[in-house]
Amino acid sequence: KEDYLDFPLDGLQPLVDAATTWRDRALWLLLAGTGLRMSEAVNISWAQIDISGQRVFVEDPYALRFSKDLPQAFRHRFKGRATSETVFIPQLKQPFFDALEKYARLEYIAGVSHDLVFQRLHPPRAGTPMRDMSDTSRIEGFRRAVARAGVVHPHPNGYWTPHSLRHLYGVFMLNYLPVPGGFGL
């Protein structure tokens, strides 16, 4: 409890409502709903999303066996996950896919030179991969939304980051996921 790593579950809906774009809404629901790291989420391509089956897959861009041989310029931030299907918090799956649909229809810039889902939305870099944004930019956008949502950090000098959504996922799955005979994995 004293670490305050997990974003408060009751603050998630206000955070999502405070998003100024469908992209951010979809991204934050994906992070909270699946526990992905930001680096995993911003590297997801459209081919890794099964919209009709409502499934999201994460692939290791290094293909594990030869990644150490790739030049640094071709490596993307990633932490050793093999290809796998994500497991959603059940209550967040449909809101994610609804936000993704609105993002794709209203904000996504088609015809760019990549097939990554999450992209920058504002000129002069509109349409370029969001993964190329600095961590600082992504964190600051998140922190502004947290402030608009009024989600206060319990530690006087603390603040929430997108990574705290990964911790929300872990705490939920450990304690609150309905399973036969009770709750929590």
Side-chain angles (χ1 to χ4, degrees):
K1 283 187 174 180
E2 60 278 352
D3 288 338
Y4 307 116
L5 296 175
D6 56 309
F7 194 84
L9 190 56
D10 62 354
L12 184 59
Q13 190 60 54
L15 170 70
V16 170
D17 292 342
T20 58
T21 65
W22 288 106
R23 178 204 64 196
D24 289 347
R25 187 179 282 239
L27 177 60
W28 298 337
L29 285 165
L30 180 64
L31 295 174
T34 63
L36 292 180
R37 294 175 178 89
M38 177 65 81
S39 60
E40 294 169 325
V42 296
N43 278 298
I44 289 179
S45 69
W46 287 105
Q48 292 169 257
I49 298 180
D50 173 7
I51 292 174
S52 63
Q54 292 196 330
R55 298 182 307 167
V56 176
F57 298 86
V58 179
E59 295 179 15
D60 177 353
Y62 306 138
L64 293 177
R65 290 171 178 47
F66 64 89
S67 62
K68 64 181 182 276
D69 299 327
L70 285 174
Q72 188 63 38
F74 294 104
R75 296 183 188 187
H76 306 295
R77 290 174 58 186
F78 203 80
K79 274 197 170 178
R81 181 193 291 257
T83 301
S84 64
E85 182 175 354
T86 60
V87 176
F88 267 92
I89 291 175
Q91 298 87 337
L92 299 181
K93 182 185 271 192
Q94 191 60 52
F96 163 72
F97 279 97
D98 290 346
L100 182 68
E101 185 273 325
K102 288 184 175 130
Y103 162 62
R105 189 167 38 86
L106 301 172
E107 297 171 347
Y108 182 78
I109 300 165
V112 293
S113 62
H114 62 84
D115 67 342
L116 298 176
V117 172
F118 297 105
Q119 56 183 222
R120 294 177 181 193
L121 300 177
H122 304 293
R125 295 188 174 116
T128 61
M130 190 175 181
R131 74 172 179 211
D132 295 342
M133 290 173 66
S134 70
D135 291 340
T136 302
S137 294
R138 290 192 296 257
I139 290 169
E140 284 305 312
F142 182 83
R143 288 180 66 184
R144 285 191 300 271
V146 167
R148 285 192 303 274
V151 182
V152 179
H153 197 281
H155 189 276
N157 297 322
Y159 58 90
W160 301 115
T161 67
H163 192 75
S164 61
L165 298 175
R166 177 174 170 81
H167 289 273
L168 175 151
Y169 176 83
V171 168
F172 181 90
M173 297 301 262
L174 183 64
N175 297 302
Y176 305 111
L177 181 71
V179 295
F183 292 92
L185 299 176

